Amino acid sequence: MEFEVVIGLEVHVQLNTKTKMFCACATSFADEQNKNTCPTCLALPGALPVINEEAVKKAMMFGWAINATINKKSIFNRKNYFYPDLPKGYQISQFEIPIVENGYLFVDKEDGTKRKIGITRAHLEEDAGKNIHEGDHSKVDLNRAGTPLLEIVSEPDIRSSEEAVQYLKKLHAIVRYLDISDANMQEGSFRCDANVSIRPKGDEKLYTRVEIKNLNSFRFIQRAIEYEVERHIEAWEDGVYDQEVVQETRLFDSQKGVTRSMRGKEESADYRYFPDPDLLPLVIPESFYEETKNIPELPDEKEERFVQEYGIKPYDAALIASSLETAQYFESMMEEGIDAKNAVTWLTVELAARLNKAGLDITTSPVDAKKLAKLVQRIEDKTISGKAAKDVLDFLMENSIDVDEAIDKLGLKQISDTGAIEAMIDEILANNEDKVAEYKAGKEKLFGFFVGQVMKASKGKADPKLVNELLRKKLS
Ligand code: ADP
Ligand code: ZN
Ligand code: MG
């Protein structure tokens, strides 16, 4: 039987506001434990929450970016459950009426067409604190308690683990472009839960899903989904689907590459949601509503502009635009008036490979955009060959030095002086009279031999185009 994979993703994005969702405490939770707390986020009796306007604005900007409906009136609810890192005994979240509803974005299907992924909702809520286990005792750090989160819930429209990763990378790029979150996955400011099920191809019904938690890298998300899909298909084929696949929450063990049952899935009724009596409905004034429509250029728009403006390939444009920092780096290179295709190659191939090897990324690159552009310029103005430029780049990765100084120091300046090259050619031809005779008698492939000899004599520094030209003249 052929199966179809059904995936819906829930993403928690920590908004990069200065203060918490309902109090004036700082959001920097790496500080000394419990430093950033106050009566409100410690849940002392009588302390009242106040909605953070910046968080509301950032949630709305996200809504505009995914073509969603922004609800001018939304409600904050209490989601009741007990956990030591949740001193109030409930989390303030949004339930029936979230601030953002009915958006979408597109991913590329395997066949090259696009698939529209519905985004059911994006709602504001507060984060919990952190339990710390040390030996035989446990501690609670409430620095993170009350930090604003935007929970983004997709429709079950995603059809493969690759599409899931694409969807997440798009979301990631969007929140970075909007500058509403630093979206650092390792630090937990961009977290994903994946809901996964399968169904016989052609069946429209939704089958039992499991929710996988604890996914903090794109690679883990892909592997966890693939493992889970395999498990469902095997259970179906072995006739034990109903016993093996139950609605539950599972954890991904990244060491072993497997998912494991954590607990039965709670239903929303378990949480006894009700509107928080301490908070009035959130009503957006008309002027604020209009103001938030002012959002920066988005990844898809940038990608399209790169193709139009610089004539680069859509594939390269997509690659560059997928990260805000890479896009900024590229545009900074283009300001130097270099050829766009050269910029793409030196950024996405040469620099990328070296960063990758050094365990760095574009934000920590020892070679900045202006420097890399200058290196490209030196190839374009024929000061160095493309091959020599690779050595210069290697050197620049290790040494904080100007491009021209590096070229000097490495002695890689290209020889494009006709006289000097002619002298080398004359000498080589004189030393290889037999080969010259063979060439003139028709053995044309010897031409490459002569080119090689000249390049060798010049220690690779002769301008190869000029060498070719002059050799042809001399040999004719
Ligand atoms: P809950 O209220 O239990 O969290 P939701 O209806 O809000 O459930 O769905 C949570 C997520 O699970 C959404 O992203 C949704 O698209 C996804 N989802 C729901 N049913 C399925 C299914 N059968 N297979 C895969 N994903 C699903
Ligand atoms: Zn506080
Ligand atoms: Mg839900």
Side-chain angles (χ1 to χ4, degrees):
M1 185 186 300
E2 262 212 83
F3 293 98
E4 179 171 61
V5 175
V6 178
I7 302 165
L9 298 176
E10 294 168 279
V11 177
H12 285 89
V13 171
Q14 190 202 311
L15 297 174
N16 58 356
T17 55
K18 286 187 270 315
T19 57
K20 292 186 181 179
M21 188 64 226
F22 300 109
C23 64
C25 291
T27 45
S28 46
F29 50 76
D31 287 339
E32 181 196 335
Q33 287 166 12
N34 294 303
K35 177 166 173 260
N36 301 319
T37 54
C38 72
T40 300
C41 55
L42 289 174
L44 301 188
L48 291 171
V50 177
I51 299 170
N52 182 332
E53 181 179 315
E54 201 190 344
V56 173
K57 181 177 175 193
K58 290 187 164 173
M60 290 170 71
M61 287 168 70
F62 175 75
W64 294 122
I66 55 158
N67 303 296
T69 304
I70 311 290
N71 288 321
K72 287 184 179 166
K73 182 175 168 183
S74 61
I75 310 279
F76 284 98
N77 294 71
R78 290 186 180 181
K79 178 180 182 179
N80 299 281
Y81 68 96
F82 171 80
Y83 209 60
D85 63 10
L86 189 74
K88 289 200 293 289
Y90 60 85
Q91 175 195 29
I92 307 179
S93 182
Q94 296 193 300
F95 189 56
E96 296 98 333
I97 313 180
I99 183 148
V100 171
E101 269 184 309
N102 296 325
Y104 60 86
L105 55 75
F106 290 96
V107 296
D108 299 315
K109 293 204 288 192
E110 231 176 307
D111 64 10
T113 59
K114 296 209 179 288
R115 190 195 304 287
K116 186 174 179 176
I117 310 295
I119 295 177
T120 322
R121 55 191 279 142
H123 64 251
L124 282 164
E125 59 184 30
E126 55 177 346
D127 208 346
K130 208 164 105 188
N131 296 326
I132 301 160
H133 307 289
E134 279 172 7
D136 62 354
H137 60 283
S138 293
K139 306 194 288 192
V140 179
D141 178 6
L142 294 175
N143 277 348
R144 203 179 62 187
T147 302
L149 297 177
L150 187 65
E151 179 174 340
I152 304 161
V153 183
S154 88
E155 289 288 305
D157 289 345
I158 300 164
R159 293 288 168 271
S160 68
S161 60
E162 291 84 10
E163 285 182 17
V165 171
Q166 263 194 60
Y167 168 85
L168 289 168
K169 286 190 169 165
K170 264 235 161 116
L171 272 193
H172 191 268
I174 290 171
V175 303
R176 294 286 306 122
Y177 271 61
L178 295 173
D179 190 23
I180 62 174
S181 171
D182 66 21
N184 185 320
M185 288 183 103
Q186 279 78 51
E187 286 173 12
S189 40
F190 188 94
R191 323 197 274 263
C192 170
D193 302 336
N195 296 273
V196 181
S197 66
I198 58 162
R199 64 186 173 196
K201 221 177 179 106
D203 202 336
E204 290 294 309
K205 181 173 133 215
L206 287 173
Y207 283 70
T208 307
R209 64 160 149 148
V210 300
E211 183 181 32
I212 316 168
K213 285 200 182 287
N214 204 22
L215 302 169
N216 63 358
S217 85
F218 293 127
R219 202 160 47 91
F220 290 168
I221 288 159
Q222 181 152 1
R223 280 173 50 202
I225 292 174
E226 277 159 15
Y227 177 86
E228 200 52 33
V229 167
E230 259 329 287
R231 194 177 71 86
H232 287 212
I233 292 176
E234 258 172 46
W236 191 298
E237 286 173 344
D238 295 347
V240 291
Y241 179 80
D242 290 333
Q243 294 91 294
E244 299 276 324
V245 178
V246 293
Q247 185 159 331
E248 64 182 351
T249 301
R250 298 176 72 88
L251 275 185
F252 181 60
D253 177 339
S254 58
Q255 304 266 300
K256 299 220 167 65
V258 302
T259 65
R260 271 196 216 97
S261 179
M262 177 167 103
R263 57 166 190 252
K265 171 94 178 100
E266 45 301 277
E267 301 288 333
S268 64
D270 298 332
Y271 289 117
R272 296 291 184 271
Y273 281 98
F274 64 87
D276 192 319
D278 288 342
L279 287 163
L280 289 168
L282 173 61
V283 178
I284 309 295
E286 195 55 36
S287 59
F288 191 72
Y289 182 82
E290 291 302 322
E291 193 189 304
T292 56
K293 285 183 181 168
N294 249 324
I295 55 172
E297 187 180 42
L298 294 166
D300 285 354
E301 295 165 357
K302 208 183 261 300
E303 181 182 326
E304 205 166 294
R305 183 168 62 77
F306 281 175
V307 173
Q308 299 293 329
E309 199 172 322
Y310 303 125
I312 65 176
K313 290 198 206 104
Y315 173 84
D316 293 326
L319 181 68
I320 294 170
S322 68
S323 137
L324 178 62
E325 289 82 5
T326 308
Q328 284 167 342
Y329 193 105
F330 175 69
E331 293 206 85
S332 176
M333 284 181 82
M334 291 313 298
E335 279 167 15
E336 302 305 302
I338 58 176
D339 176 74
K341 286 186 191 71
N342 288 339
V344 168
T345 306
W346 283 87
L347 170 56
T348 67
V349 182
E350 298 301 336
L351 181 68
R354 285 165 178 79
L355 289 175
N356 193 26
K357 203 170 148 208
L360 298 167
D361 62 44
I362 199 77
T363 61
T364 49
S365 172
V367 178
D368 66 21
K370 297 296 176 208
K371 225 183 225 187
L372 191 61
K374 190 158 176 195
L375 183 65
V376 173
Q377 249 162 12
R378 289 294 170 262
I379 306 167
E380 291 179 356
D381 68 16
K382 298 203 158 47
T383 306
I384 50 172
S385 67
K387 191 166 162 290
K390 293 182 186 179
D391 296 336
V392 178
L393 185 53
D394 285 336
F395 193 72
L396 294 174
M397 291 293 292
E398 302 290 336
N399 301 279
S400 156
I401 179 173
D402 174 72
V403 173
D404 288 329
E405 273 176 58
I407 293 171
D408 271 350
K409 199 159 181 148
L410 297 172
L412 288 173
K413 209 173 229 145
Q414 183 159 261
I415 304 171
S416 28
D417 165 3
T418 311
I421 296 176
E422 266 180 333
M424 283 186 250
I425 291 177
D426 288 342
E427 196 182 331
I428 282 156
L429 297 186
N431 291 340
N432 293 280
E433 276 171 355
D434 47 338
K435 291 225 168 58
V436 174
E438 280 177 57
Y439 177 82
K440 289 194 169 156
K443 202 169 170 193
E444 284 188 9
K445 63 175 191 220
L446 275 172
F447 192 77
F449 164 78
F450 295 123
V451 174
Q453 291 297 305
V454 181
M455 291 311 290
K456 203 168 141 197
S458 73
K459 299 200 177 69
K461 288 188 275 183
D463 176 351
K465 239 174 96 191
L466 205 51
V467 172
N468 269 273
E469 239 173 70
L470 295 172
L471 255 176
R472 237 173 251 293
K473 224 188 281 169
K474 296 247 170 203
L475 285 168
S476 66

